[in-house]
Amino acid sequence: MAATLELHDGVVTRRASTEPGAFLLGYGLLDVDGILEAHRDLVATVEDAREEGEEELVVGRTADIRWVPLARNICGDLLFVDHRPQHAGEIGEMSFGDPEYRMLWPRMDLMLVDLCEALEKRTPVTCVPRIPRLHEGRMLEWPAAAR
């Protein structure tokens, strides 16, 4: 992740779902400032939950101070790297409105292998029912796979 940030520092933030830049399952990679901002939001959510006595409903479920965001979609949902000891290195997805995050990959290298394989073979990504497709010859989309 550090090498990607050093070389590219995220992607241009999309203002509409039809703009390019969300090549990672519909998520756009965050730049360093975006990572810091999203992490501050997670920390604030955890602090608010603790103040309101709702820590067990939030911490490690919908927010955690040890989650490091790496990508955001147009709705504000996040992909993150989990740095909690029992989950170190896992790639999770935090979707607003869901009662709990979901773990997508146990490690980033497996995520990249899975995404590359899906692109090369045009098959669904293992952890989510999505198949890559080029839209209008200019934008990578990840529509839901037909069941």
Side-chain angles (χ1 to χ4, degrees):
M1 192 162 137
T4 300
L5 287 170
E6 187 176 317
L7 290 172
H8 304 288
D9 197 20
V11 295
V12 175
T13 304
R14 298 179 318 142
R15 305 251 185 260
S17 61
T18 56
E19 293 180 359
F23 66 92
L24 184 64
L25 297 177
Y27 287 82
L29 292 177
L30 293 168
D31 61 9
V32 171
D33 291 337
I35 291 169
L36 293 172
E37 177 186 337
H39 187 260
R40 279 192 296 271
D41 291 344
L42 290 173
V43 169
T45 299
V46 167
E47 289 172 352
D48 290 347
R50 286 186 174 141
E51 287 174 12
E52 295 169 12
E54 297 180 347
E55 184 174 359
E56 69 283 347
L57 299 174
V58 173
V59 178
R61 297 184 72 193
T62 61
D64 200 286
I65 63 172
R66 293 163 292 187
W67 291 353
V68 178
L70 65 103
R72 175 181 283 143
N73 68 18
I74 197 123
C75 299
D77 301 338
L78 294 172
L79 292 183
F80 60 88
V81 180
D82 199 332
H83 288 276
R84 295 175 294 166
Q86 68 274 30
H87 299 280
E90 292 178 356
I91 306 300
E93 178 182 47
M94 190 279 296
S95 182
F96 289 101
D98 286 346
E100 194 151 341
Y101 84 98
R102 73 183 173 145
M103 194 273 285
L104 299 179
W105 291 277
R107 301 187 323 254
M108 189 172 291
D109 62 325
L110 297 176
M111 175 187 81
L112 295 173
V113 166
D114 200 19
L115 292 172
C116 288
E117 190 171 292
L119 286 167
E120 290 171 1
K121 298 178 181 178
R122 304 249 169 138
T123 57
V125 174
T126 348
C127 64
V128 293
R130 295 174 181 257
I131 297 175
R133 174 180 89 179
L134 193 60
H135 177 72
E136 296 180 359
R138 66 178 180 84
M139 185 172 82
L140 183 62
E141 291 184 322
W142 293 88
R147 293 183 186 240

